[in-house]
C-alpha cells in the first residue's frame, strides 16, 4: 500500500490517495479535484473508490464530482442524510480496493455519523501495511472539535469522542500509521494540536491527551474549556456537502474594466486587494480592503470568516495571486469572484481616489500615540486573555464589521499577533472612515519596546 498525501495547507486539511499500485481509494478530497487526479496519474493508478469520513464543516468536498468523473464508488455513511446517490457505508462492514481491505469504524464525536477507515495490505512489501484514516476523530496531539453541530450537542459529542478514539486504537496496531484529515492550522481541531508531520497509533496512544487522560469527565471538561471561535462560513459547508457540491470553477475571469471597478467601489461592494500589507497601506483604492495573499492559511480562513457570505466579490492583484485565490476560495464556496488584474491600483481604476494610512511598530506606538487614542487588539478573546497591551480594547477580527460603532472616534492603533489580522482590520476601519494606524510588528516584540502588558503571559 502506498499513500499519497495531497496537502491543502491553506485550510490545514490533507486528502489522501491510497493505492495498491493498480487501483486507488481517495479519502476526503477537496473540491479542486484536479490535484488528486494529477497524483493518480503520477502513480499510474485508477480511482475506483472515493470515501468521506464525514460531512465536512470546513470545506466543500470534491468527492461526488470525483466519483462521477471516474465512475468510482462513492462511499458515504449510510446514516448521513444526503441528496445524491451514494454507496451507503455501514460501520464494521469491510470492502476491498484491489488487494487492500478497508474497514469503516464508527467514530462519532466530531459529528454524530463520523467514520474512520482502517486500511490493511496483506502483501505490503516495502509499502505501508496498516493505516488509519481518522478524519476529524484522532488527530496529531488532539481530536476534532465537538461543537460544530450545536451547543446542546457539544458535551455529548465530547464524551463520544473520548470513546471513539479508544475504539479506533483498538482496531489497529501500534505501528499503524495515522492519517488525519484535520491538521495543524485547521479550526476543526481543538486542544493542543501538534505540528508534527507524521505519527503512528502507538505514538498517539502514548502522548495524545485524549488517550492518556484516564478520567473521561476531566477530558470532557478540558475539551469544552478549550473551545474557541470558528469561521462563520462553516455554517454553510455541511448543508452544501449534504446537497452535493458542483465542480470548482477555476477559470481566470476577464479583468474588470476601470469604469465598472469604480462603480463597484462607489456602490460599496467588496473589493479585495491581494497585495502585501505595506503596499496596500501606502496606496490603495478607497473602499477596497486588504487580504494579503501568500500568508499560509490566513487568507482563505479569514476572508471567509470576515466578509459576508454570498455577496459579490472582486479580487485585485497580480495574475498569479488572483488565480491561486480563486482556487482557494472555491474550496469554501466563494465561487467565481471577478478580478481586476494588476499591481498598480491607480491604473486599475484611474477615476477612483487613492488613499493611504500609516504603518508603525511598537516603538512608534510608544513614541507617537497621543492621549485618548485607542489601542485595538483584534486577536481572539482567548489570546487577549493570555496577555495584552495594558488598556487595550479587544474586538476580534471576525466581529469587527458588526462592532465598528462601539469603538471611540479618536485615532485607533491596530495590532494582532503577526500583523496579518491587524492589516485586515485596519483596512476595514479605514473603509469605514476611521483614522487608523497599523502596528505591523509581532506581539512578542511589544514588551521589549517598553509596552506595558497585562495577563497571564505578560511577565
Amino acid at each position: 500500500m502506498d499513500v499519497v498525501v495531497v496537502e491543502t495547507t491553506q485550510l490545514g486539511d490533507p486528502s489522501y490517495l491510497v493505492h495498491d499500485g493498480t487501483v486507488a481509494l481517495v479519502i476526503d478530497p477537496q473540491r479542486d479535484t484536479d490535484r488528486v487526479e494529477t497524483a493518480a496519474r503520477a502513480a499510474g493508478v485508477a480511482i475506483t473508490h472515493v470515501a468521506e469520513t464525514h460531512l465536512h464543516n470546513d470545506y466543500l468536498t470534491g468527492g461526488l464530482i470525483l466519483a462521477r468523473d471516474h465512475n468510482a464508488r462513492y462511499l458515504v455513511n449510510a446514516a448521513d442524510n444526503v441528496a445524491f446517490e451514494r454507496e451507503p457505508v455501514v460501520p464494521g462492514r469491510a470492502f476491498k480496493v484491489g488487494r487492500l481491505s478497508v474497514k469503516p469504524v464508527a467514530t462519532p464525536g466530531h459529528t454524530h455519523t463520523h467514520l474512520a477507515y482502517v486500511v490493511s495490505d496483506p502483501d505490503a512489501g516495502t509499502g505501508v501495511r496498516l493505516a488509519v484514516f481518522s478524519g476529524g476523530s484522532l488527530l496529531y496531539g488532539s481530536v476534532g472539535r465537538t461543537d460544530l453541530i450545536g451547543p446542546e450537542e457539544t458535551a455529548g459529542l465530547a464524551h463520544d469522542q473520548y470513546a471513539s478514539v479508544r475504539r479506533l486504537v483498538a482496531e489497529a496496531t501500534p505501528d499503524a500509521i495515522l492519517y488525519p484529515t484535520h491538521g495543524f492550522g485547521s479550526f476543526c481541531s481543538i486542544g493542543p494540536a501538534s505540528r508534527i508531520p507524521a505519527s503512528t497509533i502507538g505514538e498517539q496512544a502514548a502522548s495524545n491527551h485524549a488517550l492518556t487522560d484516564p478520567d473521561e469527565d476531566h477530558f470532557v471538561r478540558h475539551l469544552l474549556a478549550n473551545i474557541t471561535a470558528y469561521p462563520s462560513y462553516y455554517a454553510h459547508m455541511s448543508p452544501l456537502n449534504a446537497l452535493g457540491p458542483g465542480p470548482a470553477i477555476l477559470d481566470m475571469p476577464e479583468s474588470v474594466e476601470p469604469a465598472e471597478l469604480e462603480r463597484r467601489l462607489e456602490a460599496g461592494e467588496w473589493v479585495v486587494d491581494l497585495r502585501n500589507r505595506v503596499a496596500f497601506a501606502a496606496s490603495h483604492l478607497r473602499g477596497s480592503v486588504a487580504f494579503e495573499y501568500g500568508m499560509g492559511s490566513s487568507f482563505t480562513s479569514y476572508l471567509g470568516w470576515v466578509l459576508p457570505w454570498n455577496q459579490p466579490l472582486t479580487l485585485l492583484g497580480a495574475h498569479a495571486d488572483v488565480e491561486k485565490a480563486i482556487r482557494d476560495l472555491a474550496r469554501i464556496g466563494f465561487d467565481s469572484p471577478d478580478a481586476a488584474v494588476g499591481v498598480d491600483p491607480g491604473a486599475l481604476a484611474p477615476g477612483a481616489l487613492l488613499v493611504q494610512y500609516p504603518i508603525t511598530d511598537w516603538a512608534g506606538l510608544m513614541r507617537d500615540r497621543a492621549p485618548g487614542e485607542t489601542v485595538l487588539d483584534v486577536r481572539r478573546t482567548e489570546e487577549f486573555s493570555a496577555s495584552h497591551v495594558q488598556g487595550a480594547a479587544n474586538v476580534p477580527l471576525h466581529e469587527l464589521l458588526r462592532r465598528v460603532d462601539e469603538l471611540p472616534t479618536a485615532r485607533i492603533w491596530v495590532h494582532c499577533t503577526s500583523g496579518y489580522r491587524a492589516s485586515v482590520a485596519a483596512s476595514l476601519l479605514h473603509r469605514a472612515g476611521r483614522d487608523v494606524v497599523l502596528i505591523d510588528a509581532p506581539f512578542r516584540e511589544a514588551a521589549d519596546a517598553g509596552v506595558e502588558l497585562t495577563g497571564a503571559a505578560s511577565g
Side-chain angles (χ1 to χ4, degrees), residues 128-185:
V128 178
R129 187 184 68 83
L130 190 64
V132 175
F133 298 89
S134 59
S137 180
L138 183 64
L139 311 182
Y140 295 158
S142 192
V143 293
R145 64 190 305 150
T146 65
D147 62 324
L148 297 178
I149 307 301
E152 71 283 355
E153 307 276 3
T154 302
L157 285 168
H159 282 282
D160 289 343
Q161 195 72 292
Y162 186 83
S164 289
V165 295
R166 283 160 172 72
R167 182 180 309 113
L168 192 56
V169 167
E171 291 283 353
T173 57
D175 62 339
I177 301 176
L178 179 65
Y179 295 101
T181 298
H182 301 311
F184 189 87

Side-chain angles (χ1 to χ4, degrees), residues 18-369:
V18 190
H19 68 86
D20 67 353
T22 303
V23 295
L25 162 69
V26 179
I27 297 177
D28 290 343
Q30 296 269 339
R31 194 182 184 196
D32 51 328
T33 56
D34 58 325
R35 298 180 299 147
V36 173
E37 292 170 322
T38 297
R41 284 194 299 271
V45 297
I47 296 171
T48 58
H49 296 70
V50 180
E52 306 283 5
T53 57
H54 59 295
L55 293 180
H56 304 284
N57 288 283
D58 59 335
Y59 65 86
L60 295 183
T61 180
L64 179 61
I65 293 300
L66 189 66
R68 287 178 177 173
D69 287 347
H70 292 265
N71 196 28
R73 295 163 64 184
Y74 189 32
L75 304 156
V76 178
N77 196 328
D80 283 323
N81 184 18
V82 295
F84 48 82
E85 187 176 346
R86 46 77 196 271
E87 183 165 328
V89 176
V90 177
R93 187 177 297 172
F95 57 90
K96 288 282 192 177
V97 179
R99 72 167 185 264
L100 308 180
S101 178
V102 184
K103 182 178 181 181
V105 180
T107 48
H110 191 46
T111 67
H112 286 294
T113 58
H114 192 281
L115 296 172
Y117 296 94
V118 178
V119 184
S120 58
D121 184 352
D123 187 22
T126 59
V128 178
R129 187 184 68 83
L130 190 64
V132 175
F133 298 89
S134 59
S137 180
L138 183 64
L139 311 182
Y140 295 158
S142 192
V143 293
R145 64 190 305 150
T146 65
D147 62 324
L148 297 178
I149 307 301
E152 71 283 355
E153 307 276 3
T154 302
L157 285 168
H159 282 282
D160 289 343
Q161 195 72 292
Y162 186 83
S164 289
V165 295
R166 283 160 172 72
R167 182 180 309 113
L168 192 56
V169 167
E171 291 283 353
T173 57
D175 62 339
I177 301 176
L178 179 65
Y179 295 101
T181 298
H182 301 311
F184 189 87
S186 170
F187 285 99
C188 273
S189 65
I190 190 170
S194 172
R195 290 179 181 266
I196 60 174
S199 188
T200 65
I201 288 293
E203 289 167 351
Q204 291 303 305
S207 62
N208 191 308
H209 72 115
L211 292 165
T212 59
D213 192 334
D215 185 335
E216 181 174 342
D217 290 334
H218 177 267
F219 166 80
V220 170
R221 288 194 303 271
H222 176 77
L223 204 69
L224 300 186
N226 281 279
I227 285 177
T228 59
Y230 57 83
S232 56
Y233 69 84
Y234 275 29
H236 305 281
M237 298 297 97
S238 182
L240 289 172
N241 282 326
L243 290 174
I249 301 171
L250 305 178
D251 298 333
M252 188 74 175
E254 293 291 328
S255 191
V256 173
E257 294 293 329
E260 173 60 15
L261 181 56
E262 292 161 19
R263 184 201 66 77
R264 295 179 186 191
L265 289 163
E266 286 296 321
E269 292 186 14
W270 291 107
V271 176
V272 172
D273 193 321
L274 304 177
R275 295 175 301 147
N276 74 75
R277 68 191 74 153
V278 176
F280 180 90
S283 179
H284 60 272
L285 295 169
R286 185 175 66 177
S288 62
V289 293
F291 282 87
E292 180 175 355
Y293 191 77
M295 298 296 293
S297 63
S298 300
F299 169 78
T300 313
S301 295
Y302 282 110
L303 188 147
W305 199 343
V306 172
L307 296 190
W309 176 261
N310 204 25
Q311 291 194 10
L313 181 67
T314 305
L315 305 176
L316 310 182
H319 188 284
D321 287 345
V322 170
E323 191 171 41
K324 292 174 185 175
I326 288 171
R327 178 181 290 269
D328 291 352
L329 293 174
R331 295 173 183 143
I332 62 169
F334 279 66
D335 283 333
S336 302
D338 286 328
V341 179
V343 295
D344 179 358
L348 294 174
L353 183 65
L354 290 173
V355 292
Q356 61 83 37
Y357 53 77
I359 290 183
T360 192
D361 55 14
W362 292 108
L365 171 73
M366 296 295 290
R367 181 183 64 245
D368 299 329
R369 179 189 174 203

